[in-house]
Amino acid sequence: MKDYVITLMDEKKYVQARKELIELNAVDIAEILEEIDTNNALLLFRILPKDVAVDVFANLSNENQKYIINAITDKEIQYIMDELFFDDMIDILEEMPAIIVKKIIKNTKEEERRLINQFLKYPSNSAGSLMTIEYVGLQKEMTVKQSMEYIKKIGIDKETIYTCYVMAENRKLEGIVSLRKLVVSDDHKTVEEIMEKGVIYVNTYEDQEEIAHVFKKYDFIAVPVVDKEERLIGIITIDDIVDVIEQENTEDFHKMAAMEPSEEEYLETSVFTLARKRIFWLMALMISAIFTGSIIKRFEDVLQSVVALAVFMPMLMGTGGNAGAQSSTLIIRGMALDEIELKDVFKVIWKEFRVSSLVGIILSLVNFIRLYYFQSVDIKISMTVCTTLFIVVVLAKVVGGTLPIVARSLKLDPAIMASPMITTIVDAVSLFVYFSIATRFLGIA
Amino acid sequence: MKDYVITLMDEKKYVQARKELIELNAVDIAEILEEIDTNNALLLFRILPKDVAVDVFANLSNENQKYIINAITDKEIQYIMDELFFDDMIDILEEMPAIIVKKIIKNTKEEERRLINQFLKYPSNSAGSLMTIEYVGLQKEMTVKQSMEYIKKIGIDKETIYTCYVMAENRKLEGIVSLRKLVVSDDHKTVEEIMEKGVIYVNTYEDQEEIAHVFKKYDFIAVPVVDKEERLIGIITIDDIVDVIEQENTEDFHKMAAMEPSEEEYLETSVFTLARKRIFWLMALMISAIFTGSIIKRFEDVLQSVVALAVFMPMLMGTGGNAGAQSSTLIIRGMALDEIELKDVFKVIWKEFRVSSLVGIILSLVNFIRLYYFQSVDIKISMTVCTTLFIVVVLAKVVGGTLPIVARSLKLDPAIMASPMITTIVDAVSLFVYFSIATRFLGIA
């Protein structure tokens, strides 16, 4: 399709290209524009029907949005900004450089400019930064018939008309009524008779993670946002929350791999930024691994006398690290999904103890058979390795399962207690256990 | 609230308890019922208004659903099953033991029974298993006025009325029209004039991950599901997809920590099941770590002559593992979000090479200063360790970034090429490099 459109553009068959494009969803049109050269893209953008152009604009990359804003007239900018839903406009303004923001704001009305400034002040990742103001507001005295006539008049400009918000004169939220309820109710009933009073809402300063939980729990498609006096300020719709959910998950993935989280796409991030997000934790973990090395140094003479012990160090440290990572991942994920809470810590410890004992016995037995029967390793060394393996697996899983909960209780993000951190701790402990047992079993002074 | 309700129940003030409860959202009522004893829960459930009871039932745990089905009359079961949305009913039937399923189906009409059996056959995690049949179907000849009257009549029973589906006589999907469009359009217009023709749909057998992508990409609240002949079979709504997204993410988390994915909540999973999901990979990685051990064995004499080399093994292996995990996590996540594709492999290699060189140089320098200046370690050993560190970081990141892409090209899940696998590979390579360099620098035969 893209190639067909490009061919049509090259042949200057603009009307035909436009005809092809408008059959598609705005998201797909934006994708095509992203991939063709900027001159043709600008041309195509200009000949699209105005309302389609606005939707397409909202879906372009920031780069292309900048390019287009720089290239079109002030009047065209004003049209786009007027038609965009408020939250999309705020998103765009947050990403544009100051000179483009000035150009855009120059072309918006005074009242809207004040609102924009207010919204840009909300902390990123808060309800205030996600919400939009294009909701349907009704009064409880209105009849169903009056409400439907009102919605018919103004509905096309609203982000959603499917949930309507009933406000008192001071804008205090009194209830909500779904469009479905309005459609199926008798014309003469009042909004007050059919609305739901127990409204679930969020505050402007609440974090997006909290809001995502509300959506997931109640299966809402929109949630009202109120200020400290419970006055309705705006609404957040489900499509924005789906993006938030993925963002929060990506953040967890990054933190659990010992990186500063990044919101940019990988291929669009500079080498320098990628390095900067990785170096801190790599350095910190490297330095703590030095502590592990000092344990080996302390037992250097043990190693000197039985160098064969070194052969099993990777297997012990690796298995301990993997076992610990399994536990910590399950607990971190369980806490993120609200399935595990702080008060469950003893249940978790007891569960991990039993699971690790079971797993540890199996691994130790398999290993013992491998070492003693297949590789004819000295019985004392085999015993040392396998006993250590069992202890390491149990310790790793109990520690791996508990540390994220400890982190949460200290108001830290549990995700930092993931594989890299757990592995470093478990490495140190395993080696200490290993050499201590070796000293005893092998009768080394 | 829960304690208040229990107190009311104990005092047999049932009407009061009911009054308190019906102010709440069905999800919250279900939460309260979960926490009170089963006798009181059953009592409360029975005195709830019928339509509320159905919503509450859909939100109970499987355990409590089983208990209630066993305890109530056939007539009550029939009512619940009639009122439940089809996809919720299928979800419940999939989780109930056979004897309960029999009891439920005994009380459903013949036609519905056939439909249920058809739906239960769809593979789990496919569109067929997620969809529901309660959608609004219109014909293109209907006017807006006729459509609104129709929706008013049947809308209360539909999962969603916000997107309506326009079908030809043979049920072939011809277009969609949003309720918003209907509400804001003139009464006399026909559906054909206002509907959208380029419908984006999914097939019954498509995997839920694909469907989640469609929702995320286009910000839909419902998507139609068609069969091979493009006939409309059902719809999937956004609330079910939000659950799917979290499920898919949890699956990735588990795989990346070397576990078989589990859909159950951690605290509700038995010790035996937890152990079973962990043992396979732990065993496999343990056995591959044996390979790493054999590298040490091969260089045993090197270690014997310079035992001090063992001191730095954890730091080298650990840093390599962490570095590799950072890269593989970014690439796996990028592929899951469709930001990185197979064709980007060379861009990724080149990017990782540059990032790792930058990070590697910084880490090596810091380490050298630490070893040589602060701990007065022999210069040759310091050089050995730091050179190895640099090579290990570069290798780890390039390998860590590339292997997930290789896995995807072999039609494997990239998530298996995460920390545990990468770490094991990087460990072996780092030790080989370490001892080879040591042999040269330290002039060991």
Side-chain angles (χ1 to χ4, degrees):
Chain A
M1 170 57 101
K2 171 190 93 185
D3 298 323
Y4 183 46
V5 167
I6 293 179
T7 317
L8 290 172
M9 295 299 283
D10 287 338
E11 297 173 8
K12 301 210 191 297
K13 291 191 180 148
Y14 301 130
V15 175
Q16 181 96 339
R18 178 191 198 266
K19 204 158 149 259
E20 291 294 325
L21 280 185
I22 59 176
E23 290 296 314
L24 303 172
N25 187 291
V27 174
D28 292 321
I29 300 177
E31 255 187 18
I32 292 179
L33 286 192
E34 293 280 350
E35 294 193 32
I36 64 182
D37 67 278
T38 36
N39 281 331
N40 274 330
L42 184 58
L43 214 58
L44 264 176
F45 181 77
R46 280 199 140 123
I47 63 178
L48 287 170
K50 278 187 163 175
D51 50 321
V52 175
V54 175
D55 278 341
V56 169
F57 184 82
N59 278 296
L60 289 172
S61 68
N62 293 327
E63 279 309 305
N64 279 320
Q65 285 171 338
K66 265 186 244 177
Y67 176 76
I68 287 183
I69 299 236
N70 268 325
I72 60 180
T73 66
D74 284 359
K75 199 152 187 239
E76 286 170 307
I77 295 178
Q78 189 170 9
Y79 181 83
I80 291 179
M81 289 301 141
D82 274 347
E83 292 299 308
L84 275 176
F85 285 129
F86 201 76
D87 56 343
D88 289 329
M89 174 165 65
I90 294 292
D91 280 345
I92 291 170
L93 286 175
E94 279 175 343
E95 298 294 330
M96 293 290 121
I99 189 170
I100 303 245
V101 173
K102 279 213 185 80
K103 189 175 184 192
I104 292 174
I105 296 207
K106 181 159 70 79
N107 291 298
T108 53
K109 306 181 193 75
E110 167 69 41
E111 194 188 304
E112 192 149 294
R113 209 176 305 172
R114 244 188 313 123
L115 209 56
I116 292 175
N117 281 326
Q118 184 188 338
F119 269 63
L120 286 174
K121 287 207 188 77
Y122 286 118
S124 63
N125 295 352
S126 68
S129 75
L130 285 171
M131 66 185 181
T132 192
I133 53 174
E134 290 99 346
Y135 53 84
V136 173
L138 304 171
Q139 283 105 47
K140 58 188 184 212
E141 303 82 25
M142 288 168 84
T143 61
V144 166
K145 190 167 156 70
Q146 286 171 325
S147 307
M148 288 302 289
E149 276 164 8
Y150 175 64
I151 294 172
K152 192 172 181 121
K153 230 176 30 178
I154 51 94
I156 200 72
D157 290 328
K158 301 306 178 189
E159 172 94 44
T160 181
I161 61 169
Y162 298 140
T163 311
C164 304
Y165 301 88
V166 186
M167 293 180 291
E169 262 188 34
N170 58 357
R171 295 175 63 89
K172 230 181 154 181
L173 191 55
E174 295 189 301
I176 59 172
V177 58
S178 70
L179 182 61
R180 180 207 291 255
K181 206 67 196 274
L182 285 170
V183 165
V184 301
S185 300
D186 293 324
D187 280 352
H188 63 270
K189 286 211 158 139
T190 60
V191 165
E192 185 169 17
E193 288 178 282
I194 59 171
M195 72 183 188
E196 275 178 56
K197 293 195 197 65
V199 184
I200 291 157
Y201 56 73
V202 296
N203 283 297
T204 47
Y205 49 80
E206 263 180 80
D207 184 75
Q208 63 183 19
E209 214 174 332
E210 284 311 306
I211 301 164
H213 279 159
V214 171
F215 272 90
K216 280 190 280 185
K217 182 176 179 184
Y218 296 102
D219 285 346
F220 288 147
I221 51 174
V223 167
V225 185
V226 304
D227 64 7
K228 288 187 292 275
E229 279 95 41
E230 279 183 32
R231 287 176 307 200
L232 184 60
I233 303 289
I235 60 173
I236 300 175
T237 48
I238 178 73
D239 51 292
D240 288 322
I241 284 306
V242 169
D243 293 334
V244 164
I245 290 173
E246 287 296 36
Q247 234 183 348
E248 291 288 323
N249 281 318
T250 301
E251 202 182 286
D252 272 354
F253 273 110
H254 287 192
K255 281 184 180 171
M256 287 170 67
M259 284 182 291
E260 310 276 313
S262 164
E263 275 181 34
E264 291 175 52
E265 287 192 22
Y266 173 81
L267 290 175
E268 290 175 16
T269 319
S270 74
V271 168
F272 187 66
T273 308
L274 283 175
R276 189 165 46 87
K277 289 196 183 290
R278 302 185 194 188
I279 194 78
F280 172 71
W281 276 110
L282 274 185
M283 189 87 76
L285 293 166
M286 183 180 86
I287 290 175
S288 39
I290 289 163
F291 175 66
T292 311
S294 70
I295 292 182
I296 299 180
K297 188 142 189 65
R298 179 177 152 173
F299 286 96
E300 213 170 323
D301 40 341
V302 178
L303 204 46
Q304 180 88 56
S305 57
V306 190
V307 175
L309 284 173
V311 173
F312 307 105
M313 275 163 55
M315 189 269 294
L316 287 170
M317 285 161 54
T319 307
N322 293 333
Q326 287 179 336
S327 305
S328 70
T329 297
L330 276 187
I331 303 308
I332 292 171
R333 187 64 182 157
M335 283 199 286
L337 297 175
D338 279 338
E339 294 167 0
I340 299 175
E341 293 165 18
L342 288 180
K343 62 179 174 67
D344 296 318
V345 62
F346 294 110
K347 282 192 211 168
V348 168
I349 292 178
W350 177 228
K351 198 159 218 159
E352 285 303 310
F353 182 73
R354 287 176 293 160
V355 174
S356 56
S357 303
L358 184 51
V359 168
I361 284 185
I362 297 175
L363 289 176
S364 297
L365 269 170
V366 167
N367 220 4
F368 186 75
I369 293 169
R370 192 255 312 183
L371 287 177
Y372 189 56
Y373 286 104
F374 286 106
Q375 292 184 246
S376 306
V377 172
D378 175 66
I379 180 98
K380 285 188 179 168
I381 294 185
S382 304
M383 291 288 298
T384 302
V385 172
C386 296
T387 314
T388 307
L389 184 58
F390 177 78
I391 296 176
V392 162
V393 169
V394 173
L395 265 170
K397 282 194 177 299
V398 170
V399 164
T402 321
L403 280 185
I405 303 181
V406 168
R408 167 68 63 88
S409 70
L410 297 171
K411 305 269 193 279
L412 298 169
D413 191 334
I416 60 171
M417 286 297 180
S419 177
M421 180 83 89
I422 302 281
T423 306
T424 310
I425 295 173
V426 167
D427 280 354
V429 173
S430 357
L431 287 176
F432 187 81
V433 168
Y434 188 40
F435 288 121
S436 306
I437 292 184
T439 316
R440 271 178 232 304
F441 271 30
L442 303 175
I444 304 163
Chain B
M1 172 56 102
K2 170 191 92 183
D3 299 322
Y4 183 46
V5 166
I6 294 178
T7 318
L8 289 173
M9 295 298 284
D10 287 338
E11 297 173 10
K12 301 207 190 300
K13 290 190 179 147
Y14 300 131
V15 175
Q16 181 94 340
R18 178 191 198 265
K19 205 160 151 255
E20 291 295 322
L21 279 186
I22 60 176
E23 290 296 314
L24 303 172
N25 188 292
V27 174
D28 292 320
I29 300 177
E31 255 186 21
I32 292 179
L33 287 191
E34 294 280 351
E35 295 192 31
I36 64 183
D37 67 281
T38 36
N39 281 331
N40 274 329
L42 184 59
L43 213 58
L44 264 175
F45 181 77
R46 280 199 140 122
I47 63 178
L48 287 171
K50 278 189 165 174
D51 50 322
V52 175
V54 175
D55 277 340
V56 169
F57 184 81
N59 278 297
L60 289 172
S61 68
N62 293 326
E63 279 310 304
N64 280 318
Q65 285 171 339
K66 266 187 245 179
Y67 176 77
I68 288 184
I69 299 233
N70 269 327
I72 60 180
T73 66
D74 284 359
K75 202 158 184 224
E76 287 169 307
I77 295 178
Q78 189 170 8
Y79 180 83
I80 292 180
M81 290 300 141
D82 274 348
E83 292 299 308
L84 274 178
F85 285 128
F86 201 76
D87 57 343
D88 289 329
M89 174 167 61
I90 294 291
D91 280 345
I92 291 170
L93 287 175
E94 280 175 343
E95 297 295 331
M96 293 290 122
I99 190 170
I100 304 245
V101 173
K102 279 211 184 81
K103 188 174 183 191
I104 293 174
I105 295 206
K106 181 159 70 79
N107 291 299
T108 54
K109 306 181 192 76
E110 167 69 40
E111 192 186 306
E112 193 149 294
R113 209 178 304 175
R114 243 189 311 124
L115 208 56
I116 291 174
N117 280 326
Q118 186 188 336
F119 268 64
L120 286 174
K121 287 208 189 78
Y122 287 117
S124 62
N125 295 351
S126 69
S129 74
L130 286 170
M131 66 184 180
T132 193
I133 53 174
E134 290 99 346
Y135 54 85
V136 173
L138 304 171
Q139 285 105 46
K140 59 188 183 214
E141 302 83 22
M142 289 166 84
T143 62
V144 166
K145 190 165 154 69
Q146 286 170 326
S147 307
M148 289 302 289
E149 276 164 8
Y150 175 64
I151 293 171
K152 191 171 179 123
K153 233 179 21 181
I154 50 96
I156 199 71
D157 291 329
K158 301 305 178 191
E159 172 94 43
T160 180
I161 62 169
Y162 299 140
T163 311
C164 305
Y165 300 89
V166 187
M167 292 181 290
E169 264 189 33
N170 59 356
R171 296 174 62 89
K172 230 181 154 180
L173 191 55
E174 295 187 303
I176 57 172
V177 58
S178 69
L179 182 61
R180 178 208 291 256
K181 206 69 195 275
L182 285 170
V183 164
V184 303
S185 301
D186 292 324
D187 280 352
H188 63 270
K189 286 211 160 142
T190 60
V191 164
E192 186 168 14
E193 289 177 281
I194 59 171
M195 72 184 188
E196 273 177 56
K197 293 194 197 64
V199 183
I200 291 157
Y201 56 74
V202 298
N203 284 298
T204 46
Y205 50 79
E206 265 179 79
D207 183 76
Q208 63 184 21
E209 214 176 330
E210 284 311 306
I211 301 165
H213 278 160
V214 171
F215 272 90
K216 281 190 280 185
K217 181 176 180 185
Y218 296 102
D219 287 345
F220 288 147
I221 51 174
V223 168
V225 185
V226 304
D227 64 6
K228 289 187 293 275
E229 278 96 43
E230 280 182 33
R231 288 177 306 201
L232 183 60
I233 304 289
I235 59 172
I236 299 174
T237 48
I238 179 73
D239 51 291
D240 289 323
I241 284 304
V242 169
D243 293 333
V244 164
I245 290 173
E246 286 296 36
Q247 233 183 348
E248 292 288 323
N249 280 317
T250 301
E251 202 180 287
D252 272 354
F253 273 109
H254 287 192
K255 282 186 182 168
M256 286 169 68
M259 283 182 292
E260 311 275 312
S262 162
E263 275 182 34
E264 292 175 52
E265 286 192 25
Y266 173 81
L267 290 174
E268 292 177 15
T269 318
S270 72
V271 167
F272 187 68
T273 308
L274 284 175
R276 188 165 47 87
K277 290 197 181 293
R278 301 184 194 188
I279 193 78
F280 171 71
W281 276 110
L282 273 186
M283 189 87 76
L285 292 167
M286 182 180 85
I287 290 174
S288 38
I290 289 164
F291 175 66
T292 311
S294 71
I295 292 181
I296 298 180
K297 188 142 189 65
R298 182 181 153 169
F299 287 97
E300 213 170 322
D301 41 343
V302 179
L303 204 47
Q304 180 87 58
S305 57
V306 191
V307 175
L309 285 174
V311 173
F312 307 105
M313 277 164 55
M315 188 269 292
L316 287 170
M317 285 162 54
T319 307
N322 293 332
Q326 286 179 336
S327 305
S328 71
T329 297
L330 276 187
I331 304 307
I332 291 171
R333 187 64 182 159
M335 283 199 286
L337 296 175
D338 279 336
E339 295 167 359
I340 299 175
E341 293 166 18
L342 288 180
K343 62 178 176 66
D344 296 317
V345 63
F346 294 110
K347 282 191 210 168
V348 168
I349 292 178
W350 177 228
K351 198 159 217 161
E352 286 302 311
F353 182 74
R354 287 176 293 161
V355 174
S356 56
S357 302
L358 183 51
V359 167
I361 285 185
I362 297 175
L363 290 175
S364 298
L365 269 168
V366 167
N367 220 5
F368 186 76
I369 293 170
R370 192 256 312 182
L371 286 177
Y372 190 55
Y373 288 104
F374 285 105
Q375 295 185 244
S376 306
V377 171
D378 174 66
I379 179 96
K380 285 187 179 168
I381 294 183
S382 303
M383 290 288 297
T384 303
V385 172
C386 297
T387 314
T388 307
L389 184 59
F390 177 78
I391 294 177
V392 161
V393 169
V394 173
L395 265 170
K397 284 196 175 300
V398 171
V399 164
T402 321
L403 280 186
I405 303 182
V406 169
R408 166 67 63 89
S409 70
L410 297 173
K411 305 271 192 280
L412 298 168
D413 191 333
I416 59 173
M417 286 298 180
S419 175
M421 180 84 91
I422 302 280
T423 306
T424 310
I425 296 173
V426 167
D427 280 353
V429 173
S430 355
L431 287 176
F432 186 81
V433 169
Y434 187 41
F435 288 121
S436 306
I437 292 183
T439 317
R440 271 178 232 304
F441 272 29
L442 304 175
I444 304 166

